[in-house]
């Protein structure tokens, strides 16, 4: 029997989908045939038109993929698909932990298989067409297999433990699960680059030379204790360039994509790293980690208020109270709250980006950072004039022009 939660879930996922389509429409309206005056000196006409084509093709394809996902979820809801998967899992085992693992395993594998054609097209058609793709079919297949193995080896035991907590600890289950998720988050923040990244990419210490000397000189000026600087073979998958900062305390690490040197001078790379160091020095990394932990706790608390609600289970076509059905239904209902929190987190993140830019400006050079940002935006065919509403909803970084004004 359909109930209020069924219709609420239906309304939320349909509204969210069409809101996303409308925001993409607003973004597309920002484009023009010729380079806007405010982008003069940053990008030429040919490159600007190419970036428009790239964005529109990516957006159109993304909308097709998201519409396909919407149809699948609607079918799962209206045809009691989640209840069917639950029935399959229970026909194999009566143990609730095993049932949960089987349920999410079936959902995850089926979802991934259905998404593979979209991933193949995006990688080997769109990214290839615009000169970004370096992924081979062998790497593509290997990445998927490794992802599945990691899900089994790491995700499986954690899900099993969380499920055990749910059934054994009563109404306060959310507190214990929050503690487990917090410890896991801290562990991954500290050891992700050492344990997970090497499974997919090769990392090696940055060799002695002009670039390393310049980085160490900047770090000393910024009063930053530099420990590890690594390069990563990002070029095996894409020509796009990046750099990031990972880890906490003694485990902090600066990682440079090997593609950076193809597009930026040594001084521009150092300016980008000064920005990343700014995040650490100004405690943005820890602040965002803490905010994420609080957000997880809030989500789990709200989940605890709904977990035993029979209407929630019936909305997905089941009568039996179970952790996995409660969680699936809750995630679908929670999306508006998640969007609001995401908007707030993105707002804070954009403010932090401005502050990190200012740090780089003082510690090294705002002019060189601005030059690097321009080159990377042009190279990656970024959307340089996004709609303000789209930025408000989705952007964790300020648009290029805003960052350049801040660096003047």
């Amino acid at each position: 029997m359909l109930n209020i939660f069924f219709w609420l879930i239906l309304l939320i996922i349909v509204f969210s989908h069409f809101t996303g389509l409308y925001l993409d429409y607003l973004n597309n309206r920002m484009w023009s045939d010729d380079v806007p005056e405010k982008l003069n000196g940053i990008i030429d006409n040919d490159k600007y038109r190419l970036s428009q084509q790239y964005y529109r093709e990516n957006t159109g394809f993304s909308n097709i993929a998201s519409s396909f996902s919407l149809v699948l979820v609607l079918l799962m809801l209206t045809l009691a698909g989640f209840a069917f998967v639950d029935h399959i899992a229970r026909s194999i085992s009566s143990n609730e932990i095993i049932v949960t693992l089987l349920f999410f395993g079936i959902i995850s594998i089926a979802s991934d298989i259905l998404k593979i054609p979209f991933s193949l097209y995006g990688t080997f058609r769109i990214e290839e067409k615009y000169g970004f793709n370096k992924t081979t079919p062998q790497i593509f297949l290997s990445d998927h297999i490794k992802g599945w193995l990691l899900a089994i080896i790491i995700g499986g035991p954690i899900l099993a433990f969380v499920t055990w907590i749910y059934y054994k600890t009563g109404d306060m289950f959310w507190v214990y699960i929050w503690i487990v998720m917090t410890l896991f988050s801290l562990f991954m923040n500290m050891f992700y680059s050492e344990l997970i990244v090497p499974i997919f990419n090769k990392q090696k210490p940055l060799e002695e030379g002009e670039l390393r000397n310049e980085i160490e000189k900047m770090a000393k000026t910024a009063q930053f204790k530099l420990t590890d600087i690594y390069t990563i073979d990002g070029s095996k998958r894409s020509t796009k360039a990046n750099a990031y900062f990972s880890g906490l305390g003694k485990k902090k690490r600066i990682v440079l994509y090997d593609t950076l040197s193809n597009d930026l001078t040594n001084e521009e790379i150092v300016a980008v790293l000064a920005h990343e160091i700014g995040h650490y020095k100004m405690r943005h990394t820890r602040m965002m980690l803490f905010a994420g932990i609080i957000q997880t706790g809030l989500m789990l608390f709200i989940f605890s208020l709904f977990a035993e609600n029979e209407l929630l289970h019936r909305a997905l076509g089941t009568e039996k109270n179970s952790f996995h059905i409660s969680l699936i239904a809750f995630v679908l209902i929670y999306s508006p709250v998640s969007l609001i929190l995401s908007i707030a987190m993105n707002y804070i993140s954009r403010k932090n980006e401005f502050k990190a830019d200012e740090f780089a400006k003082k510690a090294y050079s705002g002019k060189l950072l601005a030059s690097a940002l321009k080159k990377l935006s042009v190279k990656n065919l970024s959307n340089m004039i996004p709609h303000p509403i789209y930025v408000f909803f989705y952007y964790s970084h300020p648009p290029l022009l805003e960052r350049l004004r801040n660096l003047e």
Side-chain angles (χ1 to χ4, degrees):
M1 181 179 177
L2 306 184
N3 59 52
I4 187 172
F5 280 119
F6 174 86
W7 295 112
L8 182 61
I9 292 171
L10 213 61
L11 176 64
I12 286 172
I13 60 176
V14 172
F15 180 78
S16 297
H17 177 73
F18 283 98
T19 298
L21 294 181
Y22 178 68
L23 290 173
D24 285 333
Y25 164 75
L26 290 179
N27 240 4
N28 284 329
R29 290 183 59 189
M30 298 294 290
W31 294 105
S32 57
D33 292 333
D34 298 311
V35 177
E37 184 177 346
K38 53 190 174 183
L39 292 180
N40 283 337
I42 298 176
I43 189 170
D44 59 38
N45 263 327
D46 290 340
K47 207 71 171 177
Y48 179 70
R49 287 170 183 154
L50 190 65
S51 67
Q52 289 185 83
Q53 293 170 15
Y54 178 63
Y55 179 81
R56 284 174 173 160
E57 192 163 347
N58 259 320
T59 301
F61 179 65
S62 175
N63 288 337
I64 292 172
S66 64
S67 297
F68 177 74
S69 296
L70 173 68
V71 170
L72 288 180
V73 174
L74 291 177
L75 288 174
M76 290 290 285
L77 283 171
T78 55
L79 301 179
F82 293 110
F84 177 69
V85 176
D86 177 66
H87 176 73
I88 293 175
R90 293 189 184 282
S91 69
I92 298 173
S93 175
S94 59
N95 183 286
E96 289 295 343
I97 295 175
I98 295 176
V99 169
T100 298
L101 291 173
L102 288 170
F103 177 86
F104 282 113
I106 293 169
I107 294 289
S108 298
I109 291 172
S111 175
D112 194 56
I113 290 173
L114 289 170
K115 288 178 181 177
I116 284 177
F118 295 97
S119 184
L120 284 169
Y121 186 87
T123 302
F124 295 104
R125 170 59 179 169
I126 298 178
E127 294 298 297
E128 186 81 31
K129 178 179 177 180
Y130 292 93
F132 293 129
N133 179 52
K134 293 296 180 182
T135 303
T136 63
Q138 292 80 7
I139 291 175
F140 183 89
L141 178 61
S142 173
D143 283 350
H144 267 75
I145 293 173
K146 290 175 182 177
W148 288 339
L149 291 175
L150 281 176
I152 294 170
I153 296 169
I154 299 177
I158 291 175
L159 178 58
F161 187 44
V162 165
T163 305
W164 180 85
I165 291 173
Y166 175 83
Y167 286 110
K168 294 294 183 180
T169 57
D171 293 340
M172 295 301 290
F173 75 88
W174 69 275
V175 175
Y176 298 106
I177 293 177
W178 187 19
I179 292 170
V180 170
M181 298 309 295
T182 298
L183 293 175
F184 179 71
S185 178
L186 291 172
F187 178 82
M188 291 304 293
N189 266 274
M190 292 182 67
F191 297 101
Y192 178 79
S193 286
E194 293 182 32
L195 299 179
I196 305 300
V197 172
I199 296 173
F200 297 92
N201 290 91
K202 291 180 180 179
Q203 296 180 104
K204 61 180 182 179
L206 180 64
E207 297 176 355
E208 296 291 336
E210 183 181 340
L211 177 57
R212 188 179 182 98
N213 292 338
E214 192 69 19
I215 292 172
E216 290 174 345
K217 180 181 175 182
M218 177 274 295
K220 186 176 181 181
T221 302
Q223 298 182 332
F224 176 77
K225 188 176 180 181
L226 191 61
T227 52
D228 296 325
I229 313 172
Y230 282 79
T231 58
I232 187 172
D233 58 341
S235 58
K236 68 187 288 186
R237 291 183 180 82
S238 176
T239 62
K240 293 181 179 179
N242 198 6
Y244 65 90
F245 187 98
S246 70
L248 297 170
K250 293 182 179 179
K251 292 295 181 180
K252 59 182 181 288
R253 175 182 293 193
I254 290 174
V255 181
L256 309 174
Y257 278 53
D258 56 359
T259 48
L260 271 176
S261 59
N262 297 331
D263 305 308
L264 305 181
T265 65
N266 284 347
E267 290 76 15
E268 288 168 339
I269 294 174
V270 176
V272 171
L273 292 183
H275 168 92
E276 297 300 329
I277 288 174
H279 281 308
Y280 187 85
K281 290 284 288 185
M282 303 175 84
R283 296 183 172 84
H284 295 160
T285 307
R286 279 166 282 182
M287 181 176 70
M288 296 303 284
L289 175 60
F290 178 74
I293 290 171
I294 296 299
Q295 185 174 339
T296 300
L298 176 63
M299 181 190 70
L300 288 169
F301 170 70
I302 298 175
F303 172 57
S304 72
L305 302 178
F306 289 88
E308 301 294 328
N309 195 306
E310 291 183 4
L311 293 178
L312 202 62
H313 301 91
R314 290 176 184 171
L316 267 61
T318 65
E319 296 292 332
K320 183 178 176 60
N321 176 23
S322 58
F323 172 66
H324 53 278
I325 292 294
S326 296
L327 187 57
I328 285 285
F330 174 74
V331 168
L332 294 173
I333 291 176
Y334 184 74
S335 58
V337 179
S338 179
L339 177 61
I340 292 171
L341 292 174
S342 175
I343 289 172
M345 293 284 279
N346 282 339
Y347 175 80
I348 295 170
S349 177
R350 290 195 298 271
K351 292 294 183 184
N352 289 344
E353 291 300 321
F354 282 133
K355 292 176 182 177
D357 283 351
E358 291 169 4
F359 179 91
K361 182 178 179 180
K362 295 175 182 177
Y364 192 68
S365 169
K367 183 178 180 180
L368 286 169
L369 179 57
S371 175
L373 292 174
K374 290 176 186 178
K375 286 183 179 179
L376 291 175
S377 294
V378 173
K379 168 69 176 179
N380 296 338
L381 299 180
S382 302
N383 182 8
M384 298 184 191
I385 49 169
H387 196 284
I389 297 178
Y390 194 93
V391 172
F392 174 78
F393 272 87
Y394 295 133
Y395 271 42
S396 61
H397 286 57
L400 175 66
L401 293 178
E402 292 185 22
R403 295 183 71 176
L404 295 180
R405 283 194 295 269
N406 187 57
L407 285 168
E408 290 178 352

